[in-house]
Amino acid sequence: MNSPRPTGVPILRLGDVLVTGLLNELDDRSAVAFTDELTERIVADSARGVLIDISRLEIIDSFVARTLMELTTMSRLLGARVIVAGMRPAVAITLVELGIQLTGVETALNAEQGLIALGWQRTPEGPGRDHVR
């Protein structure tokens, strides 16, 4: 089995959660490569959660929406929960207007809320400092 082609999309590991973000729109080929790379990382890192930050995207086309739904399903089958965070209002409006439903995709308003949903908590650590664990 060949390793997936790196997409240039950073995938960070925070404990048993993988954090990634789409910085630009993905073309069809990059979206497939991203899915392959992320599912490989879920298995390799025994991840139980994945946060995908899409706050930089100004538009999501039907292919990327379908890719997010399929990625969520694949991740769930591999034992990981996926949260898509940071969707812009214009993106949400466009998806609804086009009749595109992100069936099965959990969303959060921002990355912090997504991490909290995946079990991370922000706790105070001394005066004026916050700590994420």
Side-chain angles (χ1 to χ4, degrees):
M1 182 174 180
N2 294 332
S3 295
R5 182 177 62 92
T7 59
V9 177
I11 301 173
L12 308 173
R13 180 179 177 193
L14 295 174
D16 56 2
V17 174
L18 298 177
V19 179
T20 187
L22 301 180
L23 304 176
N24 302 308
E25 291 181 41
L26 295 175
D27 59 34
D28 295 1
R29 187 174 177 178
S30 297
V32 171
F34 174 68
T35 299
D36 290 346
E37 186 176 358
L38 191 54
T39 53
E40 288 291 331
R41 286 287 305 271
I42 289 169
V43 173
D45 294 338
S46 300
R48 67 167 186 76
V50 177
L51 176 78
I52 303 173
D53 183 357
I54 62 166
S55 62
R56 303 265 324 241
L57 296 182
E58 295 182 12
I59 189 167
I60 293 178
D61 63 17
S62 60
F63 181 79
V64 173
R66 192 176 78 230
T67 299
L68 287 173
M69 289 187 297
E70 291 173 353
L71 179 58
T72 298
T73 301
M74 288 179 227
S75 300
R76 199 175 310 132
L77 290 172
L78 296 171
R81 180 179 173 198
V82 175
I83 304 274
V84 175
M87 184 180 299
R88 292 180 178 204
V91 170
I93 291 167
T94 301
L95 289 174
V96 170
E97 288 176 349
L98 294 175
I100 299 171
Q101 298 179 1
L102 295 178
T103 305
V105 177
E106 290 184 70
T107 59
L109 286 179
N110 55 48
E112 182 178 1
Q113 289 184 1
L115 284 172
I116 290 170
L118 290 171
W120 286 73
Q121 293 183 359
R122 189 175 196 187
T123 58
E125 182 184 287
R129 294 188 149 191
D130 290 329
H131 176 71
V132 176
R133 62 176 159 150

